Amino acid sequence: MGRFAERAWNDLGASAGDPGDIGCENPPVRLDSRLDVAELVTDSIGMASAAIEQVAAMRGRREPRPLRLRGDFITTSVTSERHFRLDDQLPRAWAPLSGFWPARDGWVRTHANYPHHEQRLRLLLGLDDAAGVETFAAAVAERSAVELEDIAAEKGAIVVAVRDRQAWARHPHAAAVADTPLIRRETVGAARARRWPGGCSLPLSGLRVLDMTRVIAGPVATRDLAYAGADVLRVDSPRLPEIDWQHLDTGQGKRSTTLDLASRVDRRVLTDLLATAEVVVTGYRPGALDRYGLSPDQLAEDYPGLVIGSVSAWGREGPWRSRRGFDSIVQAATGIAMVESPDGARPGALPAQALDHSAGHFLAAAIARSLVDQASDGATVHVSVSLCRLAHELLETTGNTVPGPRDAGAAEPVAPPTTQTVTSDAGRVTFAAPAISVPDAPGRYPAAAGRWGGDAAAWASRPSQRGARMDGGRAR
C-alpha cells in the first residue's frame, strides 16, 4: 500500500499492527489527473480490505491472508455513476443548477442536486422556480464569489468560491485542518468488550450497523460493511427523500427505512435499534444530530461499547466545521479544481469523486479495525474522516497524466465484468461490482438495493449459534 494508507493506518494506533500483504494487480487503475488519484483510491480500498481481513482472521483464529485487488474493478467502482443504469437508462448525475459559474470576480461552484438545496439557492439569488439556467447564471455573475459563499452558508445553500491551492492555504479553515490525522480515532467512553454473535460465514456476519448517512462517502463505507456480512440498516428522514438512483448505486446489501426523529414514537424505535447495534455511522455535519442524542459522547454514555463512525465534508475543527459540502464543493474550495483546470482559467474536476469514495473506504477500514480492538479491549470508539483532510493530502501528490477537458457526469459504456446487473423491486439495475477484497465473499454483490425507505425499521434475525467473546484473536 502507498503513502495514503500508510499514514491512515498509523492513525489507527499501535494495536492495528501490520496491515498484511495486499497488492493491486494488472490492469492498472485508469484515472487521468495531475494528482495521484489512482493511489488515493487504491490505498483506501486496499486498507478497507486489509482491516476486514483482520476481522476474518480474528474470528477464524488464523493468520491474515494475502489480498489482491484489480485495477479495472477499482476504476469502475470509483466512477460508478458513469456506469450505473436503471432499466437500461443512464440517470442525470448533476442538476441544471449544479456546477461552475462565473461570478463578478472569479468562479463559484454550486450544488443543487437535492430539491431543498436548489430552493435555498434560488432564494439566495431572489429567483423563483420559473427562472431558467440563463437567468440563474446572470444573477451569479452580478455577485462576488466570496460574498455568495458566505451568504449561502448562512442560508443553508451550497456555494463555494473557487480558489487556487495558494489561496486555500491562507484560509483559516485550511490551517485548522492541515495537521489533523487522515483518520481521527478517539476513545469516548469506557465499556466492556462485547460478545459477538456466533457464526461467521463472512467477517462481519451477525454484526448490526445503523447507517445514518447520505450521498456517497457514508454509503460507500456501509456498503463495504454489508458486503463483509454486516446487517446494515439505513435510516433517513421521510422529509428528505434520497435521489433514487444514488441510493441504488451505493445501497447493495443494505436495507432502507425512514424515521422522523422529531416524532417521539420514531425516536423510541431509533433507541431500540441503537440498543442492539454494534456500529452506528453518521454522515451529517458535526453537531447536526446532537439534539437527538446522537453526539459521540452521548452515544458512549447511552450505549457503551459502540463503534461510532462519522464522515463530513470539512472535518470537526475550524470555522467551516458546520458548513455543508460535497466532494465537488471541497475540490473547488481547496484548489483541486484549479489544479485540474484544462486551460489554466476554467476550473476542472478530478476524474472521479475520489474524495467521497476514498473517505468511505477509509472509514470502513477504521470501523472494522475498531471492532477488532473493541472485541479485545472494550471501550466505546469514535472514528472520523473528512473530505477536506483527504483533499489536503491529495494536493501534496503528483499524478502521471495531464487532464484534458472533462465532463464529470459523462456516460461511459457499461464494462463487464466490472459491473453487474440485477433485477430488484426498483427495476433492472446495473452498477459497479465490488472493488474491495473480502475473504469468502462472492465476487459480486449478492443483491441490489431495494427501493429507498421500503423496509421495516428492524434488524434481521441474528445467527442462532452461541456467541463468543474474542480476545486478541482467540475465542474464549
Side-chain angles (χ1 to χ4, degrees):
M1 291 192 287
R3 57 172 290 166
F4 300 100
E6 181 179 358
R7 178 163 293 187
W9 196 269
N10 288 339
D11 290 340
L12 295 178
S15 65
D18 188 331
D21 181 5
I22 183 163
C24 188
E25 299 177 340
N26 284 326
V29 176
R30 299 187 62 86
L31 296 168
D32 293 344
S33 173
R34 292 189 176 92
L35 302 171
D36 203 347
V37 180
E39 182 169 292
L40 173 64
V41 297
T42 301
D43 273 14
S44 67
I45 291 170
M47 186 166 161
S49 302
I52 290 168
E53 168 61 12
Q54 285 196 347
V55 177
M58 180 191 75
R59 296 188 86 175
R61 298 186 295 279
R62 59 169 175 78
E63 292 299 314
R65 294 180 289 202
L67 300 173
R68 293 294 177 265
L69 307 174
R70 288 260 317 251
D72 52 349
F73 280 76
I74 293 172
T75 303
T76 298
S77 180
V78 301
T79 58
S80 59
E81 73 281 359
R82 303 182 187 184
H83 302 274
F84 181 90
R85 303 290 188 276
L86 177 59
D87 294 329
D88 299 319
Q89 298 297 309
L90 177 75
R92 185 176 66 184
W94 299 98
L97 301 190
S98 292
F100 293 110
W101 306 92
R104 190 178 67 221
D105 54 358
W107 290 85
V108 296
R109 175 111 200 193
T110 60
H111 195 288
N113 285 8
Y114 285 102
H116 59 289
H117 290 151
E118 178 179 337
Q119 285 298 316
R120 292 170 188 170
L121 190 56
R122 288 180 177 275
L123 286 172
L124 183 156
L125 293 168
L127 303 176
D128 59 27
D129 291 345
V133 170
E134 291 184 0
T135 303
F136 176 82
V140 172
E142 294 175 355
R143 309 284 284 273
S144 159
V146 172
E147 175 194 5
L148 282 171
E149 176 182 82
D150 289 340
I151 297 173
E154 294 175 6
K155 302 296 185 182
I158 302 176
V159 182
V160 291
V162 176
R163 294 170 172 83
D164 61 26
R165 60 200 304 176
Q166 292 79 21
W168 176 250
R170 297 190 296 269
H171 194 278
H173 194 79
V177 171
D179 294 328
T180 59
L182 284 184
I183 297 175
R184 181 168 174 170
R185 184 186 187 281
E186 301 173 285
T187 298
V188 290
R192 295 180 178 179
R194 289 194 175 195
R195 184 178 295 273
W196 286 24
C200 53
S201 57
L202 288 171
L204 299 183
S205 291
L207 300 187
R208 292 169 169 171
V209 177
L210 191 67
D211 176 4
M212 304 183 72
T213 70
R214 295 171 71 83
V215 197
I216 298 175
V220 163
T222 55
R223 183 183 62 187
D224 283 356
L225 302 179
Y227 182 55
D231 178 12
V232 179
L233 179 64
R234 173 169 165 170
V235 176
D236 286 281
S237 167
R239 291 177 283 118
L240 294 174
E242 180 59 285
I243 298 168
D244 288 341
W245 79 265
Q246 200 160 257
H247 164 65
L248 296 170
D249 188 42
T250 54
Q252 295 88 344
K254 298 181 273 186
R255 289 174 298 115
S256 168
T257 195
T258 60
L259 292 173
D260 185 350
L261 299 189
S263 159
R264 290 184 179 180
V265 173
D266 283 4
R267 286 279 300 281
R268 285 197 293 270
V269 173
L270 181 69
T271 296
D272 291 342
L273 291 170
L274 284 165
T276 50
E278 279 74 37
V279 177
V280 60
V281 189
T282 66
Y284 294 82
R285 292 166 293 140
L289 298 177
D290 289 5
R291 66 186 184 279
Y292 301 117
L294 295 172
S295 69
D297 288 342
Q298 191 63 52
L299 286 169
E301 181 177 336
D302 294 341
Y303 312 101
L306 270 180
V307 172
I308 304 161
S310 61
V311 60
S312 63
W314 304 108
R316 298 176 58 200
E317 297 89 7
W320 280 18
R321 64 183 297 275
S322 297
R323 291 197 177 192
R324 295 166 173 82
F326 296 93
D327 185 309
S328 59
I329 295 296
V330 175
Q331 288 187 43
T334 59
I336 290 175
M338 292 312 300
V339 170
E340 294 291 281
S341 169
D343 56 12
R346 184 180 181 86
L350 295 175
Q353 295 191 66
L355 303 179
D356 259 331
H357 283 273
S358 57
H361 293 300
F362 279 132
L363 185 61
I367 290 168
R369 181 57 241 178
S370 296
L371 283 167
V372 173
D373 291 341
Q374 207 291 327
S376 176
D377 303 324
T380 305
V381 178
H382 179 211
V383 289
S384 59
V385 179
S386 80
L387 308 188
C388 184
R389 180 62 185 87
L390 289 176
H392 279 226
E393 200 72 14
L394 182 61
L395 280 164
E396 295 181 9
T397 69
T398 302
N400 298 318
T401 56
V402 177
R406 181 188 301 124
D407 177 358
E412 291 187 4
V414 177
T418 63
T419 62
Q420 62 183 103
T421 299
V422 176
T423 299
S424 75
D425 62 0
R428 177 182 168 84
V429 188
T430 298
F431 47 81
I436 65 169
S437 177
V438 173
D440 302 320
R444 306 312 239 186
Y445 291 111
R451 292 187 183 277
W452 178 82
D455 296 295
W459 298 115
S461 59
R462 280 185 162 168
S464 58
Q465 296 95 326
R466 184 180 177 185
R469 180 169 182 259
M470 307 303 295
D471 184 12
R474 298 287 180 184
R476 69 180 189 187

